[in-house]
Amino acid sequence: DAGVIQSPRHEVTEMGQEVTLRCKPISGHNSLFWYRQTMMRGLELLIYFNNNVPIDDSGMPEDRFSAKMPNASFSTLKIQPSEPRDSAVYFCASSSLAEQYEQYFGPGTRLTVT
Amino acid sequence: AQSVTQLDSHVSVSEGTPVLLRCNYSSSYSPSLFWYVQHPNKGLQLLLKYTSAATLVKGINGFEAEFKKSETSFHLTKPSAHMSDAAEYFCVVSDATGNQFYFGTGTSLTVIP
C-alpha cells in the first residue's frame, strides 16, 4: 500500500478563497482523522470519521471549516473562506481495529493563506 | 480522561551518547501508548507502541520504551544517538475505543556532532 495520500502537498492562496484538502486513507482502514499542526498550538485533532461517519468534530475551529467522507477511500477538508490564521500543516491519518488503532499519517498539506 | 505530559520540550545530546525522552501519562483505564517521530517538513512516523503486552517495547531505529504503570511513565530511550535521530518526538495515549489520540506537546531532540 502507498500509505495515506494527501493532496496538494503545498497550497498558497489569498484570504477569502476556498481551499480544499484531500486525503486517501490506507485501504481497509475504517477510521480517518484530520489534524492541524502549528508552532503555537502543536497538533490539534480537528475531526475524525468511523466507517465514513463523522464521530467527533469538536476540534473544528469554526463554521468556515467542513469535512466530508463520501466513501471509504476519500475525504476532504474544506475551508471557506480562508483566513491567514488558517496557515498550518494539515495532516490526515487513518487506522483500523485490526492494527490496534495505530494511526498512519500522511505527509501533510502545508497551507499558506496570504 | 486521558492526557500526556512530555517533561522536556528540548533535549540535546552528543552523538554516540544515550537518549532519554520522558513521558508521563494519565488514563482512567489500561492505556495504549505510542511514540511518534517527526523529521523536519515530514509527516509523523510510528516508532513503537505499547498495547498491554510486554512492558518493554522495542521500536525502529534502535529505540525502545518501558511502560511503568506504578510511575505512569512511558519514557523513550536509545543507547547511542545518531545524527539522523534529530527530530521532534511525540508521546501519545489513546482513548478506550482507540479512536482518539492525545498528543503530548513534543520534545525536540538535537544531536551534537
Side-chain angles (χ1 to χ4, degrees):
Chain A
D1 200 309
V4 176
I5 299 172
Q6 291 187 247
S7 65
R9 293 294 309 277
H10 301 273
E11 176 82 32
V12 180
T13 190
E14 292 183 348
M15 182 175 64
Q17 297 297 306
E18 177 179 297
V19 174
T20 299
L21 311 181
R22 297 174 176 80
C23 175
K24 176 179 168 54
I26 291 173
S27 177
H29 283 191
N30 65 322
S31 296
L32 183 140
F33 307 79
W34 282 102
Y35 291 89
R36 177 172 68 176
Q37 186 178 38
T38 62
M39 288 293 291
M40 291 295 294
R41 300 172 71 93
L43 266 166
E44 303 173 275
L45 176 66
L46 301 177
I47 185 172
Y48 76 92
F49 296 81
N50 272 356
N51 298 316
N52 313 336
V53 176
I55 302 300
D56 184 353
D57 65 354
S58 59
M60 297 284 262
E62 46 198 278
D63 292 344
R64 297 185 296 107
F65 286 69
S66 63
K68 294 182 180 180
M69 193 165 185
N71 57 61
S73 60
F74 184 65
S75 177
T76 59
L77 177 68
K78 185 176 293 186
I79 308 172
Q80 166 65 14
S82 58
E83 297 182 2
R85 59 194 170 117
D86 302 329
S87 298
V89 180
Y90 290 82
F91 289 103
C92 176
S94 68
S95 69
S96 72
L97 173 60
E99 295 184 79
Q100 298 172 310
Y101 293 113
E102 170 189 335
Q103 291 193 14
Y104 291 79
F105 283 77
T109 295
R110 182 174 295 277
L111 172 65
T112 303
V113 183
T114 60
Chain B
Q2 291 68 242
S3 67
V4 164
T5 302
Q6 291 184 243
L7 298 162
D8 307 293
S9 57
H10 300 279
V11 170
S12 185
V13 300
S14 297
E15 189 176 17
T17 64
V19 176
L20 170 64
L21 305 183
R22 298 183 294 166
C23 172
N24 286 99
Y25 69 91
S26 173
S27 178
S28 53
Y29 54 88
S30 184
S32 292
L33 293 157
F34 307 78
W35 275 98
Y36 280 81
V37 61
Q38 184 179 27
H39 287 92
N41 300 312
K42 300 289 187 183
L44 281 79
Q45 180 185 19
L46 181 71
L47 275 179
L48 49 80
K49 63 182 178 184
Y50 166 78
T51 54
S52 72
T55 57
L56 182 62
V57 182
K58 294 187 183 298
I60 62 172
N61 301 335
F63 284 94
E64 63 182 38
E66 186 171 7
F67 173 69
K68 292 186 176 180
K69 186 175 182 178
S70 61
E71 298 176 11
T72 61
S73 69
F74 190 58
H75 301 334
L76 181 70
T77 61
K78 182 173 180 177
S80 176
H82 190 273
M83 294 299 296
S84 62
D85 295 328
E88 189 86 11
Y89 292 79
F90 293 94
C91 183
V92 183
V93 62
S94 70
D95 69 355
T97 68
N99 281 330
Q100 284 225 38
F101 271 20
Y102 297 88
F103 282 82
T105 50
T107 298
S108 176
L109 176 64
T110 299
V111 182
I112 303 167

